[in-house]
Each structure stands twice: as structure tokens, then as C-alpha cells.
């Protein structure tokens, strides 16, 4: 091959950019990872957003998908400083009547806690968990012919349902509320086809392994990935915001850990008319409003399960969550939004000064919203934890527009790199033989705008790198599906 400055360049150092860079560097190529901001990590940064000594996860906080990731499991990340902490109660979902739905690590304990729905819960999850190790590798991949078609088909038939339809399996408000909170991670109306998928995956991931948080903050995942990458000889340059291909050193391949909107600006002139149109038609979903608190003490949840949970979902019943997700997807701001809250300092004493605590939360809002939802979110916490406002030392907030200013990948505050509805679940960012290839030879997309989509798992980056390795470097990397 003709000599270039680097074999490959990856633009953007989120989990997928890091994963792509590692996958190529592992093959002995020379890889440069470029990051526009002063520090690496994308959705994996942690900072003292409120007061000194309080470490807040700016974006992602809880990592079931990182723990389940076939790529991350194959890397020596603990040797590079990553330590996952697994709360025994993955998530709690309190209701107004004082009862609670609880997602434990244990399948049986979770089912038992759901009373009348014990059998329905076991019937739903036992088959999924039986096939989980194989299934998770199939799910975290682009469309392909599955190794275990029957297992995948069994899962797929349930996953394709709207969450509101699958909810009919359950009789109790506790099970239905718990289920709705899980499915609402889809960031879509729960009546949409395939919104059951994310709920099933998140609950199965809890029973298979748990919902961990990294000691020291989510940044620890980025640091471990970067440390491993540089130990292989990879190069990282920060403060390098790419706005044109002409800024880049020469290379055989460029992989963008960016979404279609930015890639069109940087490289659109290189694409075919058809591909350009496809990317222009790519759709983004709802945004988020994000809050972090420095607290004088742990959140005084009325329900003890909530005081023991890594994550607490605040939104009451299936009906209420369905209504609030529907409202924000149609451009309105709900008075009682579904709030996802994490309380990392309960499990990781490095997050706050002795005796003090942190909490992290967000709710879904219309794309590009600039509305301040802080009072509304705090009302939702106060609803289940009277006295919460009295323990707040300080707060930090980001509306959907500020989320995008913070990270240009979060278009209008969309944290999934584009809506993952049925039209874009498998074919993001465009319907093509390989979703990672652009129409220009040597240019690839490796961000969460490609399959399998949002979340911290690195599998978009891994699969994109695999594609580039084959196309450009004639390296046929054996699928992790076969090896892990
Ligand atoms: C508030 C919030 C909460 C979340 N919670 C969770 C959670 O608990 N668990 C979970 O699994 N996921 C969560 N996520 C989602 C998760 O963070 C993303 O899905 C994930 O980070 C996507 O990874 P990525 O590598 O595709 O892109 P990103 O992580 O967005 O990384 C892209 C990188 O590219 C850089 N960049 C952008 N443009 C340029 C340019 N032109 N030149 C150079 N660099 C550029 C950015 O600065 C960024 O570092 C959350 C996200 C947010 C915002």
C-alpha cells in the first residue's frame, strides 16, 4: 500500500470512536484518534459540575450495555483501571400508592416482588436468559444471518411489539410501571412498534450481569479504553475539531464517530447524490433535559427499595409514562415527565466528599427544547422523596440545546445519535449492504447512528472497524460472536 501519515483516522473519541480505533490498532495498523474537545470520551466524561469534590457524570452514568458488550469483555480494561460496581438493586420504580416495582440482579427475586405477575415475568424472561450469551452478541450487531435463528426469532417477536402491547402480559400496576420505565429508554412513544426491544434488553442485562457504574465515574471507561489503545501504539490528539476533510493528515481510511448531520458538512461533497439524500433524510428523536445535584445526604425516598437502587425511575404508572412520552414526542413539555435518576455516590464513595452525595437525572423533552425543566424534575423527585429539596447543596442543569453545544453528536439533545424507531433501528443511517460504509471509498461511519445504536457498548465502532479492515486492508477479522 502507498505510504500515508496513518493507516486510519477516527474522528471523535466517544465509546464507539475508541472501540473502532482499538479494533484497528489491534491489527497492527497505525491509527490516529482525533477529538474536538480538550478531553476524550464523548458521552463518557465526569466532572465537578457543582462544587469541588462532587464528581458528576455529564452524560452516561449506568452501564448494563458496557458490561454486556462482547468487545469490552474481550479487552483487558480492568488492567487499565476500570472497576465496575454492581448495585444489587439495579432499578426501583415507586408508585404513588407507596408500592414499588424492583429490578434486582436476580430474576427470581424480581419476579417474586411482582406478586401476581411472578409467573408472567418468569415466562417472559426465562427463555431470553437461557439464550442470553448468544443472543446479546446477535442483538449488538448489524442485520445478519443469526447463528441461532430460533433463539433470535423468539426474542425478536416479543421485541418488535409496542411496549404498551407487551405490558398486557402483566396484571399489576407495579409490573406494568416497572416495564414502562424500562421501555421508555427507547425515547419514543411507547405505542411505537419495537419499543419493547430496549425494555427486554435492559431487564435481561440486569439478570445476566447487572447494571454497573464505574468507580470514579463514567470517565473511567474512556480512560481505560484510551490507555489500552495507546499501550498498543495508538495516537490520540485532542482539541482537534474537524470541519473539513482537508484538515486531516493523509490515511487510507477515515471513520467518523459522528452523526449524519455533521458528516454531511464535513464530507458531503464526496458522496453520491443518492447517499447524500439518504443521510439528509436521517431523523433525530426527542432531546433530554439533564440535571446533577450535590446533596447533603442521600435522597430520602419513602420506599426503602429506592434508597438501595442504583437507578430510580420516576413516572408512576404505565398510563402516566405512556402519556408523558407521547406528549414530548409531539413537541410538548409534560408537567409530570418520566425521570431517570441515578444515585452513584451511594455505591461509590469517590463521587462526593465524606457524608455528602450526588444524584444525576434527566427527562425527555422535544428535540431542540430550551425549556428549563429543573423545577418539574425536582417535583417528580419530591413526589417520592419528600424533603428532597431541603438537602440540595447545589445543582447543575443542561437543556436540550445546551446538551448539543456540549457534544455536537447530540443533535437537538438526542442522546441516541438519531431516533431508533422501526424505520431506523436496523438501517441506520441508511439502507445499504453495510450501514458503516459511505458512498465514498475509505470513508466510514462508526457512531451510534449505526447499528446497534445508542448506549455505551462500543459495538458500532467495532463493526465499522471490521468493515474497514476488510474493505481497505484486506484483513478478515473473525467476529467476536465466534470468539467471546
Ligand atoms: C445525559 C445523557 C445520559 C446518558 N445515559 C446513558 C447511560 O446511563 N448509559 C448508556 O449506556 N448510555 C447513556 N447515554 C448515551 C451514550 O452516552 C451514547 O449513546 C454514547 O456516548 C454514544 O457514543 P458515540 O461514540 O457514538 O458518540 P459520543 O459519545 O457522542 O462521542 C462523539 C465524540 O465526537 C466528538 N466530536 C463531535 N464532533 C466532532 C468533530 N467535528 N471533530 C472532532 N470530534 C468531534 C465529540 O466531542 C465526542 O467526544 C447518555 C447520554 C446522555 C447525553
Amino acid at each position: 500500500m502507498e505510504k500515508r501519515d496513518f493507516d486510519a483516522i477516527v474522528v471523535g473519541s466517544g465509546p464507539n470512536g475508541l472501540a473502532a480505533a482499538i479494533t484497528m490498532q489491534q491489527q497492527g495498523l497505525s491509527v490516529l484518534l482525533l477529538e474536538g474537545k480538550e478531553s476524550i470520551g464523548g458521552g463518557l466524561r465526569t466532572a465537578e459540575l457543582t462544587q469541588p469534590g462532587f464528581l458528576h457524570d455529564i452524560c452516561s452514568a449506568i452501564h448494563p450495555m458496557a458490561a454486556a458488550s462482547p468487545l469490552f469483555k474481550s479487552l483487558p480494561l480492568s488492567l487499565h483501571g476500570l472497576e465496575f460496581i454492581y448495585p444489587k438493586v439495579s432499578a426501583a420504580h415507586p408508585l404513588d400508592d407507596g408500592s414499588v416495582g424492583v429490578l434486582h440482579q436476580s430474576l427470581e427475586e424480581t419476579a417474586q416482588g411482582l406478586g401476581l405477575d411472578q409467573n408472567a415475568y418468569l415466562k417472559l424472561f426465562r427463555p431470553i436468559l437461557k439464550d442470553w450469551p448468544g443472543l446479546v452478541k446477535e442483538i449488538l450487531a448489524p442485520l445478519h444471518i443469526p447463528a441461532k435463528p430460533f433463539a433470535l426469532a423468539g426474542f425478536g417477536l416479543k421485541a418488535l411489539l409496542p411496549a404498551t402491547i407487551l405490558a398486557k402480559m402483566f396484571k399489576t400496576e407495579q409490573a406494568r410501571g416497572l416495564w414502562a420505565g424500562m421501555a421508555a429508554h427507547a425515547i419514543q412513544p411507547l405505542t411505537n412498534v419495537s419499543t419493547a426491544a430496549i425494555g427486554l434488553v435492559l431487564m435481561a442485562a440486569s439478570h445476566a450481569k447487572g447494571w454497573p457504574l464505574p468507580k470514579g465515574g463514567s470517565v473511567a471507561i474512556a480512560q481505560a479504553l484510551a490507555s489500552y489503545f495507546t499501550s498498543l501504539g495508538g495516537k490520540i490528539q485532542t482539541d482537534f475539531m474537524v470541519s473539513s476533510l482537508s484538515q486531516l493528515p493523509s490515511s487510507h481510511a477515515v471513520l467518523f464517530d459522528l452523526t449524519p448531520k455533521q458528516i454531511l458538512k464535513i464530507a458531503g461533497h464526496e458522496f453520491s447524490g443518492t447517499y447524500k439524500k439518504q443521510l439528509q433524510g436521517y431523523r433525530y428523536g426527542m432531546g433530554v433535559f439533564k440535571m446533577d445535584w450535590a446533596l447533603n445526604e442521600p435522597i430520602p425516598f419513602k420506599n426503602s427499595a429506592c434508597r438501595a437502587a442504583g437507578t430510580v425511575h420516576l413516572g408512576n404508572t404505565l398510563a402516566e409514562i405512556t402519556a408523558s412520552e407521547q406528549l414530548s414526542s409531539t413537541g410538548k413539555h409534560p408537567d409530570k415527565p418520566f425521570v431517570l435518576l441515578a444515585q452513584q455516590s451511594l455505591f461509590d464513595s469517590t463521587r462526593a466528599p465524606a457524608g455528602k452525595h450526588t444524584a444525576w437525572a434527566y427527562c425527555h423533552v422535544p428535540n431542540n427544547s430550551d425549556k428549563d425543566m429543573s423545577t418539574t424534575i425536582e417535583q417528580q423527585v419530591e413526589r417520592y422523596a419528600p424533603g428532597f429539596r431541603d438537602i440540595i447543596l447545589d445543582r447543575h442543569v443542561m437543556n436540550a440545546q445546551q446538551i448539543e453545544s456540549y457534544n455536537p453528536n447530540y443533535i437537538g439533545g438526542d442522546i441516541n445519535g438519531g431516533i431508533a424507531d422501526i424505520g431506523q433501528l436496523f438501517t441506520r443511517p441508511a439502507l445499504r449492504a453495510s450501514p458503516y460504509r459511505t458512498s465514498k471509498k475509505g470513508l466510514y461511519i462508526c457512531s451510534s447512528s449505526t447499528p446497534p445504536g445508542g448506549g455505551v457498548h462500543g459495538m458500532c465502532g467495532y463493526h465499522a472497524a471490521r468493515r474497514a479492515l476488510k474493505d481497505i486492508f484486506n484483513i478478515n477479522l473473525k467476529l467476536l460472536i465466534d470468539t467471546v
Side-chain angles (χ1 to χ4, degrees), residues 430-474:
L431 182 58
R432 296 172 66 71
S434 165
Y436 308 103
R437 270 194 206 124
T438 70
S439 62
K440 171 75 181 170
K441 186 168 188 245
L443 300 187
Y444 293 85
I445 306 183
C446 69
S447 70
S448 62
S449 302
T450 62
V456 172
H457 43 66
M459 294 305 286
C460 312
Y462 163 74
H463 286 292
R466 226 177 136 252
R467 183 74 261 162
L469 284 169
K470 186 157 187 213
D471 289 352
I472 309 292
F473 303 99
N474 206 14

Side-chain angles (χ1 to χ4, degrees), residues 12 14 16 35-36 42-43 45 60-62 241-242 257 407 415 448 455-456:
N16 286 311
E35 168 54 49
R45 295 194 184 95
S60 66
I62 304 294
M241 191 57 87
V242 177
D257 184 17
N407 179 346
I415 65 175
S448 62
V456 172

Side-chain angles (χ1 to χ4, degrees), residues 137 147 478-484:
K137 293 166 197 160
K478 205 165 152 54
L479 255 187
L480 276 168
I481 283 182
D482 308 326
T483 54
V484 177

Side-chain angles (χ1 to χ4, degrees), residues 215-375:
K215 187 172 180 189
S218 290
V219 70
I221 301 178
Q223 284 167 345
L225 289 166
S227 164
Y228 175 60
F229 172 59
T230 51
S231 77
L232 298 174
K235 302 265 179 300
I236 298 178
Q237 191 173 340
T238 53
D239 279 319
F240 195 122
M241 191 57 87
V242 177
S243 53
S244 153
L245 287 176
S246 63
Q247 286 171 274
L248 302 179
S250 64
S251 68
H252 297 289
V254 178
L255 285 79
F256 294 105
D257 184 17
L258 312 179
T259 85
K261 190 173 173 188
Q262 303 134 283
I263 296 168
L264 277 167
K265 283 194 192 136
I266 296 170
H269 59 285
E270 297 280 358
F271 297 153
S272 70
T274 310
Y275 186 63
K276 228 158 117 171
K277 266 210 189 100
Q278 283 183 305
L279 290 195
Q280 281 161 349
Y282 188 69
R283 291 169 296 118
Y284 294 91
M286 289 186 249
V288 305
F289 183 93
K290 165 85 192 316
M291 290 194 81
D292 289 280
W293 296 277
L295 302 172
N296 235 329
E297 52 190 79
I299 301 178
F301 281 113
K302 280 188 273 187
N303 193 293
S304 60
C306 299
R307 298 197 297 271
T311 297
V312 185
H313 286 161
L314 306 169
N316 204 28
T317 57
L318 167 71
E320 200 174 308
I321 296 172
T322 304
S324 86
E325 293 302 295
Q326 179 65 34
L327 214 57
S328 31
S329 75
T330 51
K332 302 185 185 91
H333 295 82
D335 294 335
K336 291 181 174 175
F338 170 60
V339 174
L340 302 88
L341 180 144
Q343 25 192 16
Q344 297 93 321
S345 61
L346 290 184
F347 310 92
D348 178 2
S349 61
T350 68
R351 304 293 186 104
K356 308 288 181 206
H357 285 273
T358 61
W360 162 113
Y362 68 88
C363 72
H364 304 148
V365 290
N367 189 279
N368 210 32
S369 158
D370 63 355
K371 186 166 166 140
D372 182 350
M373 296 291 283
S374 51
T375 306

Side-chain angles (χ1 to χ4, degrees), residues 110-182:
T110 303
Q112 235 166 38
L114 296 174
L116 282 180
D117 281 316
Q118 176 171 3
N119 288 339
Y121 192 82
L122 291 173
K123 197 171 152 208
L124 179 59
F125 281 102
R126 270 205 178 123
I128 296 175
L129 286 165
K130 185 172 136 280
D131 293 318
W132 184 247
L135 211 46
V136 75
K137 293 166 197 160
E138 307 274 14
I139 295 165
L140 292 179
L143 264 188
H144 62 287
I145 299 167
K148 287 192 166 181
F150 289 114
L152 191 62
F155 171 81
L157 287 175
K158 292 167 195 150
L160 282 174
L161 292 173
T164 44
I165 298 292
L166 195 141
K168 293 184 195 295
M169 283 188 72
F170 301 120
K171 297 187 190 74
T172 63
E173 286 296 357
Q174 292 74 24
R176 288 181 175 192
L178 181 67
W179 166 248
M182 297 295 153

